[in-house]
Amino acid sequence: MSITPIILILIPLLGVLPVVFLPAQRARWTATFTTLAAFLASLVAAFQFGEGWSDGGFHFETAIGWLDSIGLTLNMHADSVSMMLILLTTLLMPICVIGSFTAVTTRQKEYYAWLLVLQAAMTGVFFAKDLIFFYICFEFTLVPMFFLIAIHGGDNRAAASVKFFLYTFTGSLITLAALLWVAASHASSDGGSWATAFDIPTLTEHARELPRATQAWLLLGLMAGFAVKVPLFPVHTWLPLAHTEAPTAGSVILAGVLLKLGTYGIYRFVLPMLPDAVAMYAPAIGVLAVIAILYAALICWVQEDVKKLVAYSSVSHLGFCVLGLFALNPMGLQGSVLYMINHGLSTGALFLMIGMMYERYHTRDMNRVGGLARRMPIWATFMVFFVLSSVGLPGLNGFVSEFLCLIAAFTASGDAGLAYPGVLGPWFAAIAGVGMIFAAMYLLIMTGKVVFGPLKEPGGHGGHEHGSDHGGLPADLNLREIGLLVPLAVLCVVLGLKPGVLMGPLEPATESLLVDAGYPAAVRSRLLERRIDSVESAVADGSEADAGVAAGTTAMMSLTATEDGHDG
């Protein structure tokens, strides 16, 4: 039996029905069975994906008619990038469900039902080939997460859920307006026909032909929604509160998958649709990414709430991911997609660790709890491991993706002779690299306080096993909790030692995106414009020598750009 996209979307949706209608005590087991079934189905789909892992193309083409006369269909497909993110989603969901067994004891039916609806919506985003279907799934992810935070979150859950919803909903509306404008423009150019106006590949080809000024406005509109979702500085302020107040599973899904909807949107829409505008404004977006890396890292340094520290670290880490995307070369795109996967594993695991600690001590304040290696040696071992993964220790998964993003930005210089010239360069990589040092400092300082040093426990926790006070939980991790962490730890090691497992399939997909969008030529054209501006400036300043050198370089770049155009 072939596993199609619709099956992977329907499995969690069908699981909602028994969760809602069966007795509450069966809800968690029904959700567990459903998410495990979806994970196994995704593994079968990955096996059946076949040549899709090596040819860089789209497979699993699925078309379901809806309102065909106006171009509304449920079209789905997947490439290697989509499949990797779907596998990440289906892996994390059963971990979140099983990890909630003791953390969520009230209103369980609606809690597990919302988790399953959320999984279906996230899977739909990665499979979508139709614009309206993409937007429905992209936007509907807000609803389950809103209720998960508002009902099962912390003391400040009302403000956190509202802020999360308003920020992301507003940004998404602006993105929808930009995408609908492209659809209307295509329909107008196609004699008023809307038959293919919402087909994403068709819209991508149409948007590439638009004037640069138009692309620039569309870039602003698309980034308004995707940057909020990442989140990128300065529209990141909703995330720390949402992470801090969300239940543990909510934080894991936020870090592991929901934030990746923003970077995936940039990868799937912004880069292939708007090459001329991206080539012009990539340095500005790169500056915002570097600010996010350093600014959020400095905020992490002064945090006393360990969960809020990890939340701000996501803003910093995903700054590297965005920087890799706008390096506009294969290494950057591969590093960025790899970062999406690795961040979901390591940071998702850190939120699990913090949730396990919170279940026992009901505090995340590093001034009130610390030295837990004495009380929880197994927990402490996993905590140190995932911190090192997040820091980017060589041999673990975080190092490879972070290094690739930095090297990609470093090599994205204005050398027109490169196969993939860029508009960033060494300064972006050097300044962003400082963020790696900051990350090591704040994460290791946090580890020193929480894991090592003298034992500190809130009042009433000293010297007992916590079993009677915390739902039967032992002082250290039980087998259920260890079983949740082991798969994540194994993947962190495997992807650290053998990153080619993912990089091999990513290479054809990322190169295909860059070539089809015409990035080498678009970037060379932008570099040529810069050089012409430099010549004009030198002439205006009366520097004949500088003007002569600049003019010679300009002529060579012009010849290169012309050759690129003929090759195309």
Side-chain angles (χ1 to χ4, degrees):
M1 176 183 177
S2 177
I3 301 296
T4 61
I6 194 66
I7 292 177
L8 289 176
I9 295 173
L10 282 178
I11 289 175
L13 287 180
L14 292 175
V16 173
L17 297 176
V19 166
V20 171
F21 292 109
L22 289 177
Q25 60 268 26
R26 298 185 180 179
R28 66 182 186 179
W29 293 111
T30 305
T32 301
F33 173 79
T34 303
T35 52
L36 287 174
F39 177 58
L40 292 176
S42 69
L43 292 178
V44 174
F47 178 77
Q48 294 176 345
F49 197 56
E51 294 181 357
W53 294 114
S54 59
D55 64 11
F58 286 90
H59 296 264
F60 287 156
E61 295 280 350
T62 304
I64 301 175
W66 186 17
L67 299 174
D68 295 341
S69 59
I70 57 173
L72 292 181
T73 57
L74 299 181
N75 290 345
M76 289 168 272
H77 63 183
D79 65 353
S80 58
V81 174
S82 305
M83 285 302 301
M84 288 181 189
L85 291 170
I86 288 165
L87 288 169
L88 176 66
T89 303
T90 59
L91 168 69
L92 290 179
M93 287 307 299
I95 291 175
C96 289
V97 169
I98 298 171
S100 301
F101 280 6
T102 54
V104 177
T105 56
T106 60
R107 303 177 71 168
Q108 295 183 44
K109 295 171 71 171
E110 60 190 276
Y111 174 82
Y112 291 111
W114 282 127
L115 279 180
L116 294 176
V117 172
L118 181 59
Q119 176 173 348
M122 293 185 300
T123 304
V125 169
F126 299 129
F127 272 134
K129 183 184 178 184
D130 178 81
L131 174 61
I132 300 302
F133 180 60
F134 169 85
Y135 185 77
I136 290 172
C137 294
F138 184 83
E139 199 73 333
F140 198 76
T141 58
L142 305 183
V143 178
M145 185 55 67
F146 172 84
F147 285 109
L148 288 172
I149 297 174
I151 297 173
H152 299 279
D155 295 337
N156 202 19
R157 58 185 179 272
S161 58
V162 170
K163 192 172 185 179
F164 160 75
F165 189 88
L166 289 179
Y167 264 73
T168 51
F169 181 70
T170 303
S172 298
L173 283 179
I174 299 173
T175 295
L176 175 63
L179 291 171
L180 288 179
W181 189 95
V182 177
S185 173
H186 170 71
S188 176
S189 67
D190 197 27
S193 172
W194 287 78
T196 59
F198 298 114
D199 181 66
I200 293 175
T202 301
L203 293 183
T204 299
E205 293 181 6
H206 176 73
R208 290 172 188 160
E209 305 302 321
L210 295 173
R212 180 189 290 171
T214 304
Q215 287 191 18
W217 284 108
L218 292 172
L219 175 64
L220 181 63
L222 294 182
M223 288 300 295
F226 296 142
V228 169
K229 206 79 166 185
V230 170
L232 188 63
F233 176 89
V235 289
H236 65 283
T237 55
W238 64 270
L239 178 66
L241 184 60
H243 258 316
T244 304
E245 298 302 323
T248 297
S251 293
V252 174
I253 291 300
L254 262 176
V257 185
L258 277 184
L259 303 188
K260 309 312 183 300
L261 300 187
T263 50
Y264 178 78
I266 295 172
Y267 177 88
R268 186 64 70 207
F269 289 91
V270 174
L271 296 183
M273 279 187 170
L274 312 171
D276 293 334
V278 168
M280 173 171 280
Y281 294 103
I285 298 173
V287 167
L288 295 179
V290 171
I291 292 174
I293 292 169
L294 299 181
Y295 172 73
L298 291 173
I299 293 177
C300 289
W301 211 341
V302 298
Q303 293 303 313
E304 295 180 349
D305 185 319
V306 64
K307 192 175 186 183
K308 187 174 287 187
L309 183 152
V310 177
Y312 271 110
S313 77
S314 289
V315 179
S316 182
H317 287 156
L318 288 171
F320 287 102
C321 191
V322 173
L323 193 65
L325 287 171
F326 286 92
L328 305 181
N329 54 42
M331 185 187 299
L333 265 61
Q334 291 169 39
S336 181
V337 176
L338 200 58
Y339 212 120
M340 298 181 207
I341 306 295
N342 290 334
H343 178 265
L345 296 174
S346 56
T347 304
L350 284 176
F351 279 118
L352 273 175
M353 303 298 302
I354 294 166
M356 293 169 183
M357 179 190 77
Y358 185 79
E359 281 190 67
R360 289 162 168 81
Y361 291 101
H362 299 290
T363 182
R364 301 182 298 263
D365 189 344
M366 289 186 281
N367 293 319
R368 298 185 61 206
V369 62
L372 296 183
R374 299 170 182 265
R375 183 75 66 194
M376 305 168 66
I378 300 176
W379 178 90
T381 301
F382 278 108
M383 186 67 176
V384 171
F385 176 86
F386 289 118
V387 164
L388 294 176
S389 171
S390 188
V391 165
L393 181 72
L396 296 178
N397 59 331
F399 170 77
V400 180
S401 47
E402 207 161 74
F403 184 75
L404 285 175
C405 289
L406 284 177
I407 294 298
F410 186 92
T411 58
S413 64
D415 184 355
L418 295 173
Y420 290 93
V423 288
L424 299 183
W427 280 109
F428 284 86
I431 298 173
V434 177
M436 296 179 67
I437 301 173
F438 287 167
M441 295 178 72
Y442 67 71
L443 284 170
L444 293 178
I445 289 173
M446 177 269 288
T447 305
K449 291 180 177 180
V450 176
V451 177
F452 302 109
L455 178 65
K456 290 190 295 184
E457 296 178 304
H461 289 77
H464 61 73
E465 292 296 300
H466 314 310
S468 59
D469 296 333
H470 301 287
L473 287 174
D476 207 350
L477 302 186
N478 57 32
L479 290 177
R480 172 182 62 88
E481 293 168 317
I482 294 172
L484 298 177
L485 298 171
V486 167
L488 299 178
V490 169
L491 284 173
C492 287
V493 174
V494 170
L495 295 181
L497 297 177
K498 289 285 188 179
V501 172
L502 296 185
M503 290 185 63
L506 286 176
E507 184 176 353
T510 53
E511 289 195 2
S512 176
L513 184 151
L514 292 169
V515 172
D516 291 346
Y519 268 104
V523 171
R524 288 190 180 99
S525 177
R526 177 56 186 156
L527 294 173
L528 178 60
E529 291 176 0
R530 283 184 177 181
R531 185 62 62 184
I532 291 173
D533 291 340
S534 175
V535 171
E536 291 175 349
S537 176
V539 170
D541 292 341
S543 174
E544 295 182 1
D546 290 344
V549 172
T553 307
T554 301
M556 293 178 63
M557 292 183 65
S558 178
L559 179 60
T560 304
T562 303
E563 290 174 350
D564 283 344
H566 289 317
D567 291 342

